[in-house]
Amino acid sequence: MKFGVLRFPGSCDEVDAQLAAGRVGEAVLLWHRDRDLQGCDAIIVPGGFSYGDYLRAGAIARFSPMMEEVIAFARDGGLVLGICNGFQVLCEAGLLPGALLQNTNRRFTSRQVRLEVVNSETPFTLACAPGELLSVPAKHGSGRYYAPDDQIDAMEAAGQVVVRYAPGDCFNGSARDIAGVCNQAGNVFGLMPHPEHAVDPLTGSTDGLRIFESMAMAAEGVRG
Amino acid sequence: MADAGLPTVEEAMALGLTRGEYELVCEKLDRPPNQVELAMFSLLWSEHCAYKHSKKLLMTLPTEGEFVVMGPGENAGAVDVGDGLVCAFKVESHNHPSAVEPFQGAATGVGGILRDIFAIGARPIAVLDSLRFGDPGTSERSRFLLDGAVSGIGHYGNSIGVPTVGGEVYFEEPYEQNCLVNAMALGLGEREKLVRSAAAGIGNILVLYGASTGRDGIGGASVLASAELGELSEDKRPTVQVGDPFEESKLLECSLELLEAGLIVALQDLGAAGLTSSASEMASKGEVGIDIDVAKVPLREADMEPFEIMVSESQERMLCVVEPGKLDTVIALTDKWEVHGTAIGTVTDTGQMRIFRGEELVGEMPVVALVDDCPLYDLDPAPPAAPIYPPPTATLDPAADLRQALLALIASPNIASRRPLFEQYDSIVQSRTVRRPEESDAAVLQLPGGRGLAVSIDGNGRKVAADPYRGTIGVVLECASNLACAGAQPLGTTNNLNFGNPEKPHIAWQLTEAVRGLGEACRALEAPIVGGNVSLYNEGASGPIYPTPVIGMVGRLPDVTRAGRLGFAREGDAIALVGRFSPALPASELARLRGEALPDGLPDVDIAAVRATQEAVRDAVREGALSSAHDIAEGGLLVAIAESCLAGDVGATLDLGACEDAWSALFGEAPGGFVVSGDPSAIARLAEHTDVDVIGAVGGDRLHVRAGDGEANATLAELREAHRALARLFP
Amino acid sequence: MRVRVLVRPKAGILDPQGVAVEQALPALGFGGVTDVRIGRLIELEVDDPAQVDEMCRKLLANPLVEDYEVQLLDGAAGTAS
Amino acid sequence: MRVRVLVRPKAGILDPQGVAVEQALPALGFGGVTDVRIGRLIELEVDDPAQVDEMCRKLLANPLVEDYEVQLLDGAAGTAS
Ligand SMILES: Nc1ncnc2c1ncn2[C@@H]1O[C@H](COP(=O)(O)OP(=O)(O)O)[C@@H](O)[C@H]1O
Ligand SMILES: [Mg+2]
């Protein structure tokens, strides 16, 4: 299992994602200006402030050469995980539905949250039990998930709402407490909280590992 | 050189030089300085750059020790943390810019201290902040400043991917007109790869990279750092510097990659006094000359004068020295990171700073005159004849009982939970943070190989105002106590001396006494000073700030999995008061709530005894023998216990036995006291090494204490509610 | 040619900054203010103003949540989305 | 009355957003764009438009780093700071 973690100018959590993914497989950094996916089985678009989050979070990064390759990879069914800023990039790139707006509290907020696994059958949540609560940190200023109501209805029906904030834990005002969504095909997943910061008992919880383990299981399945 | 229109002595004085200093400049040059030269001298001879009122004092501080790799003088100090790694760290102030524009002032303060860290070749791994404002309850301006400073720090640190792992904030009336915003940063580097800032190699090339140069902060260093804020007229206000963390993150990665590839000879950030100070100091340290062509400097505004280019304080710029053969590779790397480098000068053997605009020579000064010849002044210290500070405004009902006092203390802005602040900071990025804010008295970061670093930043202006010497000792001891509770041994210390106008004898006395206390405490703890910063002239119309030395200390843990926690953890654990603790109310937080005047002096401190207690607590934490350890600071014993209850979400029952004065026993403050909890046998073992008094047990959902015939009782829910008091400042 | 782009949150989308400003005004003594909306102002110099609309759709605004309006500053009227 | 306030970074003050957007545009296929400045667009409904100028100075703009321009949308021209 080989993960590729994108690196844009202004990325912050790319090494953290590399370390986390490295616990379940091989993980390499991919520079935004290159075009070689280096044979990776899954791509992670990491957290941080690509291009300073200037203009709109994720707006500039999504045009990078490497993102063009990632878009093609995703269209071919490749696994793509977007975390925080990566989620914003994937929405901007049109790989995921919706948009992420400024938190209703108007502040960057960093807090441990509980995530409820709504759909445990995606390639990113295979290793979770339905309804399981994962303790994972969230830290962002623009994490309010928005999509038109009818679209969210359809997404919920189709199992595209993958994780929600547990009651009381949603500080950003997201529609229906949505924390992470996948595309229709299920191979692209974005979430605001940071599973890569929940992989070691020393620095927090280990619940986030489940996301990376799920991806490895899914990738092995595809291969096998 | 054209000598028409030379600046006058009056203009020199408006830039902050004294008449005598101007005359000395003329003597050094053998002629009056032109505009470029005067601008450069006025900056380098400012208090901020030349430390002319503090250098003699600073020379008394201990700077050497077993772990010191780089002491004061370089961009940051560094201590050895084992396995060939060093921790670089330093604290800096951005007080005056933050008073003008708190968001950008605080943001650029963080940007500046981070550049100091990577300028020596260390990757920044943590930021801490130390903040002082007026009373947030009554002062709208203080709330505005607090809100702006906290968002600015978060904006910069979060965006650049360096965790803000700790800090401190206090609210006292003397900071109303002159807030303090200090920021500390830590970095990790390989000992063998540290780089110094001395320019070397005649014929080598100076490359400037990063942001373009605009009119930011022109006059900043001389005007902002050397004049009392109240004297600043509107037209002297410099342009506000705007921070760009995105640019800095590229600058950081590019600088570390340049160093890793061995492409540069020397590296220096551009901070206060911009190109003037960075180039001159590089030349001075390398004992060489430098030629700079300002026409080559990429500008944000086309029409800038040579002197403006030389003094601009535009942020996010670095200067490096490169061998000619490596220039193309260096430029290519700066292009990769989009921080486009430009060759702007050369290293010469002239011993002169020569400034050109194209072919035209527009300034020429001996490096030695610029950097080393600024006169140093002796202070004229004298203790104040009458109290300097009015008593704080009383907010506690004089009839309050112990329980009401406890709840008022827990809700005091100086003690209430800092969560609404630190939740605006990313404290976990880089995956090193083992103890987040409110989990331990010091932040703890993991290092390769299972070891750890602990760091704390502390200050207590009120106590230093009451007794500059003993108060400062108390601050250094508190910082080391915080490390001890995490299980760490101090390796080195940084400090920021925030004081009023040193030309006034009573301020000079505060400064002198504080530095004496600082040196003595650091010597006794073997925690030498490896760097720091001085911020003087912190005064408003109603007087000086409390003298505020801010101390940052870095320590190490052999086994990071055993880092201490401050929260009670297990029902049934014994609670003990540890240390030879002699609590006293004068200058305490309770005295502030009661509106009591500051005492004239504090009790003597036995530093060696405190150190011994710290070592005993540290060793017990390192053995994993204790469930919790917390030092007793603001609010005294009962507040420390309440904090341990809140952090562990469990109550406690205490009986202090016979007790002459329950108020002093419960709320009095002094250095050297700790509250620990653990298995009774572990506490008994601790008693073999230091004074230990078992006073109660962990359990239940309330805090209940009996002291003599006094008694207090509060539920966890009541304590938690009081502790949330700061949340309303951030609606 | 100098071009101005006004980007606004779409009707119906919560604008927390606008709400905060609206709530802060009465305390500062400003009554009678309603419906505050905060967006982005982008001004740029372009060789070819015909490009601007595409630039807006692709980069300067997010059509799912924002409306934009282009104003050509040296005369001529603008186009709105 | 509907009022529009344009808030811009002051001349000479660094505009990191504008710089970043300007540098990114060529790679996105938009050449010939220079001097990008990014500010805020504030639109509000006010009973008394005469108040707006003071509102800008006190709350809507930060006079240390920003200039503002007020446009009355139902006719009449605006005032600039
Ligand atoms: N300004 C601040 N920025 C970040 N963290 C802070 C700040 N102030 C306090 N904290 C954190 O909040 C916790 C409690 O702070 P404080 O009560 O000042 O601790 P102490 O009494 O040990 O000095 C610590 O973890 C500290 O690092
Ligand atoms: Mg403490």
Side-chain angles (χ1 to χ4, degrees):
Chain A
M1 174 70 189
K2 184 171 174 185
F3 292 88
V5 182
L6 264 53
R7 174 178 237 199
F8 303 102
S11 292
C12 298
D13 302 84
E14 75 275 34
V15 175
D16 310 75
Q18 185 188 17
L19 289 172
R23 289 171 182 260
V24 304
E26 191 193 341
V28 294
L29 291 177
L30 303 174
W31 179 240
H32 72 124
R33 273 208 218 139
D34 295 340
R35 289 188 174 271
D36 180 2
L37 291 180
Q38 297 182 24
C40 288
D41 305 296
I43 297 298
I44 300 176
V45 191
F49 291 75
S50 57
Y51 290 92
D53 267 6
Y54 293 142
L55 202 58
R56 264 187 338 276
I60 300 179
R62 70 113 154 171
F63 289 103
S64 69
M66 188 58 87
M67 268 309 292
E68 282 175 27
E69 301 304 314
V70 170
I71 290 170
F73 176 78
R75 303 253 187 255
D76 288 346
L79 292 183
V80 179
L81 167 66
I83 304 171
C84 196
N85 192 233
F87 186 13
Q88 295 159 340
V89 172
L90 296 180
C91 287
E92 285 282 342
L95 288 177
L96 289 173
L100 293 145
L101 304 173
Q102 189 190 36
N103 298 351
T104 40
N105 67 359
R106 291 175 296 116
R107 295 183 192 282
F108 181 99
T109 302
S110 167
R111 195 178 287 176
Q112 196 78 15
V113 297
R114 291 164 307 150
L115 285 185
E116 181 196 332
V117 179
V118 181
N119 181 349
S120 59
E121 276 157 25
T122 76
F124 305 89
T125 48
L126 280 175
C128 308
E132 185 178 350
L133 291 183
L134 308 178
S135 171
V136 173
K139 49 184 183 90
H140 53 253
S142 293
R144 174 170 41 121
Y145 186 75
Y146 168 83
D149 257 328
D150 49 353
Q151 189 174 2
I152 299 187
D153 290 342
M155 288 167 62
E156 286 188 322
Q160 284 178 256
V161 172
V162 180
V163 283
R164 260 187 230 290
Y165 300 97
D169 282 12
C170 178
F171 58 76
N172 56 28
S174 287
R176 304 186 203 178
D177 290 350
I178 291 173
V181 303
C182 66
N183 61 349
Q184 264 170 0
N187 64 312
V188 180
F189 172 47
L191 79 172
M192 286 313 294
H194 288 263
E196 84 281 24
H197 285 293
V199 297
D200 183 350
L202 202 54
T203 50
S205 82
T206 54
D207 294 357
L209 258 187
R210 245 80 91 257
I211 306 289
F212 301 96
E213 286 163 356
S214 299
M215 291 172 75
M217 284 163 64
E220 303 298 326
V222 169
R223 228 189 263 154
Chain B
M1 238 178 303
D3 61 357
L6 287 179
T8 62
V9 61
E10 286 74 24
E11 281 169 284
M13 290 168 72
L15 284 174
L17 293 181
T18 65
R19 188 176 293 273
E21 287 164 355
Y22 173 78
E23 280 159 8
L24 191 58
V25 169
C26 296
E27 192 185 308
K28 296 283 171 195
L29 291 181
D30 233 353
R31 60 180 165 79
N34 66 22
Q35 188 186 39
V36 172
E37 293 158 347
L38 180 63
M40 293 177 65
F41 268 103
S42 75
L43 286 184
L44 284 172
W45 285 25
S46 70
E47 188 65 46
H48 191 90
C49 292
Y51 289 86
K52 49 194 177 186
H53 287 95
S54 60
K55 202 174 225 164
K56 292 186 177 184
L57 284 178
L58 297 181
M59 282 173 356
T60 66
L61 292 171
T63 58
E64 276 164 26
E66 187 186 347
F67 302 104
V68 177
V69 174
M70 231 181 228
E74 286 296 331
N75 285 306
V79 292
D80 192 295
V81 295
D83 291 345
L85 295 178
V86 302
C87 173
F89 63 103
K90 182 160 182 256
V91 59
E92 273 228 337
S93 62
H94 234 209
N95 303 335
H96 288 170
S98 301
V100 174
E101 213 304 295
F103 180 90
Q104 294 298 346
T108 51
V110 172
I113 191 66
L114 290 173
R115 283 194 296 284
D116 277 331
I117 300 299
F118 65 80
I120 72 165
R123 174 175 288 277
I125 59 167
V127 167
L128 297 92
D129 60 349
S130 168
L131 310 174
R132 299 291 184 282
F133 305 98
D135 176 23
T138 56
S139 160
E140 192 182 320
R141 179 171 159 76
S142 289
R143 289 195 293 271
F144 162 78
L145 291 173
L146 167 72
D147 190 35
V150 171
S151 346
I153 291 163
H155 167 66
Y156 211 103
N158 300 341
S159 307
I160 198 174
V162 179
T164 301
V165 298
E168 50 147 25
V169 58
Y170 290 96
F171 303 91
E172 309 261 5
E173 285 149 352
Y175 303 107
E176 171 70 33
Q177 285 162 327
N178 197 126
C179 65
L180 300 184
V181 174
N182 292 185
M184 173 174 174
L186 274 67
L188 206 54
E190 290 175 48
R191 190 178 175 135
E192 294 312 316
K193 291 199 175 142
L194 293 187
V195 60
R196 298 198 180 243
S197 54
I202 308 307
N204 280 347
I205 296 171
L206 258 78
V207 175
L208 176 67
Y209 59 105
S212 56
T213 297
R215 286 202 175 84
D216 312 79
I218 285 184
S222 62
V223 178
L224 260 196
S226 309
E228 290 179 18
L229 207 59
E231 293 173 357
L232 266 189
S233 63
E234 197 62 36
D235 60 343
K236 260 198 189 169
R237 283 234 158 107
T239 8
V240 173
Q241 305 154 25
V242 171
D244 183 354
F246 173 56
E247 184 75 22
E248 181 131 315
S249 77
K250 296 184 292 178
L251 204 57
L252 155 65
E253 296 301 340
C254 181
S255 301
L256 294 182
E257 210 171 308
L258 284 170
L259 286 168
E260 186 62 40
L263 289 170
I264 57 187
V265 176
L267 183 61
Q268 168 73 36
D269 64 296
L270 277 74
L275 211 41
T276 290
S277 105
S278 47
S280 311
E281 279 165 20
M282 287 179 103
S284 160
K285 285 181 184 144
E287 298 178 358
V288 292
I290 280 181
D291 287 357
I292 286 182
D293 180 359
V294 293
K296 298 226 171 88
V297 174
L299 300 180
R300 206 164 73 228
E301 292 175 82
D303 58 343
M304 290 175 68
E305 293 293 322
F307 91 88
E308 291 182 304
I309 297 169
M310 287 310 296
V311 308
S312 159
E313 294 188 343
S314 287
Q315 303 287 299
E316 290 94 20
R317 298 179 298 164
M318 301 290 286
L319 193 58
C320 64
V321 174
V322 182
E323 291 167 12
K326 292 180 177 165
L327 181 62
D328 291 344
T329 320
V330 167
I331 300 290
L333 201 63
T334 63
D335 287 343
K336 169 189 167 189
W337 284 104
E338 299 167 23
V339 290
H340 314 290
T342 316
I344 62 158
T346 43
V347 177
T348 70
D349 60 3
T350 60
Q352 303 278 321
M353 275 298 297
R354 291 193 302 184
I355 314 302
F356 293 85
R357 175 165 52 188
E359 299 290 297
E360 179 195 2
L361 181 65
V362 296
E364 177 169 20
M365 300 140 280
V367 170
V368 172
L370 269 170
V371 180
D372 302 315
D373 286 348
C374 174
L376 298 184
Y377 298 106
D378 284 313
L379 298 178
D380 181 19
I388 308 173
Y389 305 98
T393 308
T395 53
L396 184 67
D397 181 351
D401 60 17
L402 291 173
R403 169 194 147 85
Q404 287 161 333
L406 170 64
L407 291 173
L409 281 166
I410 295 287
S412 156
N414 292 339
I415 292 178
S417 172
R418 273 67 184 121
R419 184 167 296 276
L421 283 81
F422 66 70
E423 270 196 351
Q424 298 183 51
Y425 302 150
D426 180 347
S427 58
I428 59 174
V429 65
Q430 297 193 13
S431 300
R432 284 192 190 84
T433 313
V434 172
R435 290 290 175 270
R436 304 179 190 184
E438 281 187 351
E439 291 183 345
S440 171
D441 278 316
V444 178
L445 303 168
Q446 61 171 330
L447 291 176
R451 288 165 302 111
L453 275 183
V455 55
S456 176
I457 187 166
D458 290 277
N460 188 327
R462 193 180 337 117
K463 292 237 171 71
V464 179
D467 187 332
Y469 168 70
R470 293 180 191 82
T472 302
I473 290 176
V475 173
V476 177
L477 290 177
E478 168 167 7
C479 212
S481 290
N482 286 336
L483 296 192
C485 290
Q489 170 196 7
L491 299 174
T493 307
T494 185
N495 73 100
N496 201 115
L497 301 171
N498 304 279
F499 284 75
N501 178 354
E503 295 162 51
K504 299 178 182 168
H506 56 273
I507 304 288
W509 174 79
Q510 289 177 336
L511 185 59
T512 311
E513 286 292 280
V515 171
R516 184 164 74 89
L518 175 61
E520 193 166 318
C522 288
R523 232 173 248 119
L525 295 176
E526 291 174 272
I529 303 272
V530 299
N533 184 245
V534 180
S535 171
L536 302 177
Y537 302 94
N538 290 289
E539 307 211 356
S542 58
I545 59 164
Y546 280 154
T548 312
V550 167
I551 307 301
M553 214 179 262
V554 170
R556 67 169 180 182
L557 295 78
D559 177 0
V560 76
T561 63
R562 289 194 170 160
R565 292 182 184 273
L566 69 80
F568 292 144
R570 259 191 333 205
E571 300 248 354
D573 269 348
I575 299 173
L577 165 60
V578 177
R580 204 170 301 154
F581 184 57
S582 328
L585 285 177
S588 68
E589 188 63 22
L590 181 66
R592 188 186 76 86
L593 296 185
R594 287 172 165 174
E596 287 171 13
L598 298 187
D600 182 14
L602 293 173
D604 268 327
V605 195
D606 182 346
I607 305 180
V610 175
R611 175 175 170 168
T613 305
Q614 287 170 347
E615 286 172 354
V617 170
R618 179 221 301 159
D619 291 344
V621 170
R622 286 181 168 187
E623 283 162 20
L626 301 176
S627 302
S628 74
H630 185 25
D631 77 311
I632 302 174
E634 293 78 18
L637 172 66
L638 195 55
V639 165
I641 288 173
E643 287 170 346
S644 292
C645 288
L646 287 169
D649 200 20
V650 59
T653 306
L654 310 162
D655 191 343
L656 301 196
C659 167
E660 257 176 49
D661 175 4
W663 289 87
S664 296
L666 294 177
F667 303 122
E669 301 172 11
F674 296 82
V675 171
V676 308
S677 71
D679 197 76
S681 63
I683 305 268
R685 277 202 307 279
L686 183 59
E688 292 164 19
H689 304 282
T690 184
D691 297 334
V692 171
D693 191 0
V694 175
I695 54 174
V698 174
D701 62 356
R702 60 179 56 239
L703 172 58
H704 180 258
V705 61
R706 197 182 292 279
D709 38 7
E711 197 179 350
N713 194 347
T715 65
L716 279 180
E718 288 168 330
L719 292 171
R720 179 150 291 118
E721 185 53 34
H723 206 223
R724 262 199 284 266
L726 283 189
R728 70 188 157 76
L729 299 180
F730 296 97
Chain C
M1 164 171 281
R2 193 93 189 135
V3 175
R4 175 185 295 154
V5 180
L6 307 178
V7 181
R8 311 184 170 84
K10 271 207 157 103
I13 299 232
L14 173 69
D15 167 21
Q17 287 199 64
V19 173
V21 166
E22 198 167 317
Q23 288 172 350
L25 284 168
L28 297 174
F30 302 106
V33 180
T34 53
D35 197 15
V36 182
R37 303 287 283 173
I38 300 192
R40 246 188 332 273
L41 167 69
I42 305 165
E43 293 180 332
L44 56 171
E45 197 63 40
V46 290
D47 289 349
D48 176 10
Q51 281 194 319
V52 177
D53 199 66
E54 195 193 341
M55 221 184 276
C56 287
R57 275 181 288 117
K58 279 179 98 169
L59 177 72
L60 302 182
N62 179 346
L64 180 65
V65 288
E66 295 169 329
D67 289 327
Y68 63 89
E69 178 184 340
V70 178
Q71 300 179 338
L72 307 181
L73 292 186
D74 310 312
T79 59
S81 72
Chain D
M1 165 173 275
R2 193 90 190 140
V3 174
R4 175 184 295 155
V5 180
L6 306 179
V7 182
R8 311 186 169 85
K10 267 200 166 132
I13 292 263
L14 176 67
D15 171 16
Q17 295 207 62
V19 173
V21 170
E22 191 169 323
Q23 289 183 349
L25 282 168
L28 311 185
F30 300 106
V33 180
T34 51
D35 198 14
V36 181
R37 304 286 281 175
I38 300 189
R40 267 169 309 132
L41 166 71
I42 306 171
E43 293 180 333
L44 55 172
E45 198 63 40
V46 291
D47 289 349
D48 176 8
Q51 284 193 320
V52 176
D53 197 65
E54 198 190 340
M55 232 180 262
C56 287
R57 274 179 287 119
K58 282 197 165 159
L59 183 72
L60 302 182
N62 178 347
L64 284 170
V65 289
E66 295 170 333
D67 286 329
Y68 61 88
E69 178 183 340
V70 178
Q71 300 179 340
L72 307 180
L73 291 187
D74 310 312
T79 61
S81 74

